[in-house]
Amino acid sequence: MFGNDADFILSIHRTHAAELRAEAAVDRLARALPRRNTRAWLSRRHRPGHAGGATR
């Protein structure tokens, strides 16, 4: 597969460089997207002035 050690080392270098570029792209995308709200619709906090079921 590899003719000599230099080809093997160059292949490893190219693979590692590609992985670093992919990680950098993921980081850039994560910074570009707005942060999601951590609370889902099931775990919403109740409004402080809202009485809930007490007025029903």
Side-chain angles (χ1 to χ4, degrees):
M1 181 176 189
F2 298 104
N4 57 29
D5 288 339
D7 292 336
F8 177 68
I9 292 173
L10 185 59
S11 173
I12 291 174
H13 170 74
R14 286 179 178 155
T15 302
H16 185 61
E19 290 173 352
L20 291 175
R21 282 193 299 271
E23 288 177 6
V26 168
D27 289 342
R28 277 194 306 272
L29 180 62
R31 285 192 306 268
L33 294 175
R35 291 187 180 232
R36 294 182 61 192
N37 192 356
T38 57
R39 287 196 280 286
W41 66 275
L42 283 175
S43 62
R44 281 184 289 183
R45 239 186 331 182
H46 295 291
R47 290 177 292 184
H50 188 50
T55 58
R56 290 182 193 175

